[in-house]
């Protein structure tokens, strides 16, 4: 059975003190929801990880980094290794977010290395895929997403792939207030599951959690999560308010 997941992506927001407050608030609200069947994750800036993991109940909230280095260790000034992330008690890492791909030039080759480092350190990976608007308008969105999956992940064994969560985030919907329709999300999620099944078989595909991201909020989460292949959400803006985030968790718990 695949997991239902609601993951927050705080991006570059919140000072350490603000982050601690937000994490505590999220922990308290989510605990009250009895959302035990939903895996709740918060993706914080690196600097917050060690402290935030201490502030939340690991049975209620798991913690994710938003990136990790391609290399194991050494002279890479300013980089943060997967081993360092794991040593904070964080269990997840978000990789391949479209902002990393477009602003920091993360290619498929780079992501293959990052995924390998994450898995070597027993981190679960939330791997983001998604097309830009021009690609959707040119009806290339399926090809784009398939190529991101094939080139970023399909070097993995089936066993390794069981530690991957996929997040479909159409780039035109991220931070724009323009959500994919429920039908567009379901269509792409079913396609992703089919592509995974072709490579790893139906059982692995059925056990893979596929999250939707892109202006998912307290108002539209319910409709998105009602879809068979939408296993949860990767939430940006709405994860910065504990109240909105907990409404989204409740929406996921309901279906
Ligand atoms: P958004 O961001 O919810 O603010 O659109 C989602 C994401 O980038 O993960």
């Amino acid at each position: 059975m695949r997991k239902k997941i609601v993951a927050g992506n705080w991006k570059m927001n919140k000072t350490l003190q603000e982050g601690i407050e937000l994490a505590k608030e999220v922990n308290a609200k989510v605990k009250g929801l009895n959302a035990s069947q939903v895996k709740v994750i918060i993706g914080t800036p690196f600097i917050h990880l060690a402290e935030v993991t201490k502030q939340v109940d690991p049975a209620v909230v798991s913690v994710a980094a938003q990136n990790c280095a391609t290399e194991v260790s050494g002279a890479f000034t300013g980089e943060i290794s997967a081993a360092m992330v794991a040593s904070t008690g964080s269990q997840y890492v978000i990789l391949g977010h479209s902002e990393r791909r477009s602003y920091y030039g993360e290619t498929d080759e780079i992501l293959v290395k990052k995924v390998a480092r994450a898995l070597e350190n027993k981190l679960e990976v939330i791997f983001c895929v998604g097309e830009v608007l021009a690609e959707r308008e040119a009806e290339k969105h399926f090809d784009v997403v398939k190529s991101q999956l094939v080139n970023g992940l399909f070097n993995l064994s089936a066993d390794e792939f069981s530690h991957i969560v996929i997040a479909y985030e159409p780039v035109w919907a991220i931070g724009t207030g323009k959500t994919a329709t429920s039908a567009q999300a379901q269509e792409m999620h079913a396609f992703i599951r089919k592509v995974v099944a072709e490579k790893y078989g139906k059982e692995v595909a059925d056990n893979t959690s596929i999250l939707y991201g892109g202006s998912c909020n307290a108002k539209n989460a319910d409709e998105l999560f009602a879809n068979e292949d939408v296993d949860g959400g990767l939430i940006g803006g709405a994860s910065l308010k504990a109240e909105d985030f907990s409404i989204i968790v409740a929406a996921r718990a309901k279906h």
Side-chain angles (χ1 to χ4, degrees):
M1 257 284 278
R2 55 187 182 256
K3 285 189 198 114
K4 295 176 176 184
I5 298 174
V6 174
N9 176 10
W10 292 2
K11 308 192 179 183
M12 196 175 75
N13 291 294
K14 303 288 176 190
T15 63
L16 177 59
Q17 289 74 19
E18 290 165 350
I20 290 169
E21 283 318 303
L22 177 57
K24 281 190 193 161
E25 241 188 290
V26 166
N27 190 76
K29 282 197 191 295
V30 171
K31 198 178 212 158
L33 286 173
N34 189 24
S36 54
Q37 70 270 48
V38 181
K39 183 90 191 149
V40 179
I41 304 166
I42 49 179
T44 80
F46 285 128
I47 201 97
H48 298 48
L49 295 174
E51 198 52 42
V52 163
T53 49
K54 279 190 232 147
Q55 303 290 343
V56 296
D57 176 351
V60 178
V61 175
S62 299
V63 180
Q66 301 170 15
N67 185 23
C68 72
T70 53
E71 306 305 319
V72 173
S73 66
F76 302 100
T77 302
E79 287 292 278
I80 308 284
S81 71
M84 293 173 190
V85 171
S87 72
T88 66
S90 305
Q91 292 171 307
Y92 287 82
V93 59
I94 300 168
L95 292 175
H97 191 280
S98 65
E99 287 149 18
R100 302 281 334 157
R101 290 178 191 261
S102 66
Y103 304 151
Y104 303 99
E106 291 198 359
T107 59
D108 294 331
E109 293 72 35
I110 289 174
L111 291 170
V112 164
K113 290 191 192 168
K114 292 189 174 193
V115 169
R117 297 296 86 75
L119 296 180
E120 282 160 14
N121 287 283
K122 308 267 179 280
L123 293 169
E124 306 278 315
V125 174
I126 300 175
F127 189 85
C128 306
V129 296
E131 79 286 356
V132 300
L133 185 58
E135 291 163 341
R136 180 162 279 265
E137 285 175 347
E139 294 184 9
K140 295 210 168 82
H141 45 299
F142 294 115
D143 293 344
V144 168
V145 167
K146 182 170 182 178
S147 120
Q148 290 169 336
L149 293 170
V150 170
N151 297 325
L153 292 175
F154 283 7
N155 63 315
L156 300 176
S157 67
D159 186 43
E160 289 167 331
F161 193 82
S162 69
H163 299 285
I164 305 290
V165 172
I166 294 169
Y168 169 58
E169 300 203 301
V171 179
W172 46 271
I174 296 177
T176 58
K178 245 202 219 171
T179 321
T181 64
S182 180
Q184 284 172 325
Q186 169 56 27
E187 184 186 35
M188 182 59 87
H189 283 225
F191 172 76
I192 292 171
R193 204 175 303 286
K194 181 172 91 64
V195 170
V196 172
E198 283 163 5
K199 168 74 181 169
Y200 293 106
K202 187 171 181 317
E203 198 184 331
V204 170
D206 283 345
N207 284 328
T208 302
S209 298
I210 307 175
L211 315 183
Y212 170 79
S215 299
C216 180
N217 59 38
K219 292 207 177 81
N220 59 29
D222 195 38
E223 193 188 335
L224 285 160
F225 296 162
N227 291 292
E228 193 189 329
D229 288 293
V230 179
D231 303 310
L234 180 56
I235 318 296
S239 72
L240 297 172
K241 293 194 188 113
E243 177 66 20
D244 287 17
F245 189 64
S246 67
I247 291 171
I248 297 170
V249 173
R252 179 58 294 190
K254 200 175 104 184
H255 291 287

